[in-house]
């Protein structure tokens, strides 16, 4: 199995650090950012999966997801929206996300979701 690359975008440093620690322990290569502007070079980073928080300070994760899915260079990258919003299923569908993960989530839920979207075809 090739090492899968995951990019996590969340404005909560504790969440970023926790997810990084868990996923790196499982063998994933992790890149994190609390700054959505770092997504400008996402096609160069070529992640196998994007995990994006829905609501960050001054930024709407669904807008970011929609932009990525409308871009020819990034639309193939699976995007999973992360949020505590009760309407997360509908919101993730509306922004063309491939899936969602409800906060708070268990480690097993995170790992299962990541495996689902990084599994080799």
């Amino acid at each position: 199995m090739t090492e899968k690359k995951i990019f996590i975008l969340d404005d909560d440093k504790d969440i970023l650090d926790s997810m990084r620690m868990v996923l790196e322990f499982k063998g994933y290569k992790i890149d994190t950012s609390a700054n959505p502007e770092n997504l400008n070079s996402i096609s160069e980073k070529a992640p196998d999966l994007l995990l994006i928080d829905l609501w960050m300070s001054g930024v709407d994760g669904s807008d970011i997801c929609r932009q990525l899915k409308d871009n020819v260079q990034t639309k193939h990258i699976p995007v999973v929206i992360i949020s505590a919003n009760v309407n997360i299923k509908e919101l993730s569908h509306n922004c063309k996300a491939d899936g969602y993960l409800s906060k708070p989530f268990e480690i097993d839920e995170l790992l299962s979701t990541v495996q689902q979207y990084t599994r080799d075809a």
Side-chain angles (χ1 to χ4, degrees):
M1 180 177 119
T2 59
E3 186 178 55
K4 298 293 183 175
K5 295 182 279 186
I6 301 171
F7 189 93
I8 306 169
L9 179 63
D10 196 310
D11 62 349
D12 185 324
K13 185 178 179 333
D14 292 334
I15 289 176
L16 286 178
D17 290 345
S18 298
M19 291 174 73
R20 173 192 291 276
M21 185 176 64
V22 167
L23 294 171
E24 282 181 342
F25 180 77
K26 290 294 186 177
Y28 295 97
K29 183 174 188 236
I30 307 300
D31 192 2
T32 64
S33 179
N35 183 352
E37 281 135 30
N38 290 341
L39 282 176
N40 293 338
S41 62
I42 200 68
S43 60
E44 295 165 18
K45 295 177 189 272
D48 296 295
L49 175 64
L50 288 159
L51 300 172
I52 301 175
D53 185 25
L54 187 61
W55 286 333
M56 294 171 278
S57 301
V59 180
D60 186 339
S62 63
D63 289 341
I64 294 169
C65 178
R66 204 172 287 107
Q67 290 171 10
L68 290 166
K69 288 301 186 177
D70 288 342
N71 183 327
V72 172
Q73 294 180 317
T74 56
K75 69 180 183 179
H76 68 282
I77 302 169
V79 175
V80 173
I81 293 293
I82 304 168
S83 179
N85 188 301
V86 295
N87 297 321
I88 187 172
K89 183 176 182 178
E90 179 182 346
L91 292 168
S92 64
H93 175 76
N94 290 344
C95 70
K96 305 177 185 178
D98 297 277
Y100 62 91
L101 191 57
S102 297
K103 288 180 183 177
F105 50 82
E106 299 291 325
I107 290 174
D108 288 345
E109 290 175 283
L110 171 64
L111 293 174
S112 173
T113 300
V114 166
Q115 277 184 325
Q116 177 182 351
Y117 293 101
T118 59
R119 196 173 290 140
D120 286 324

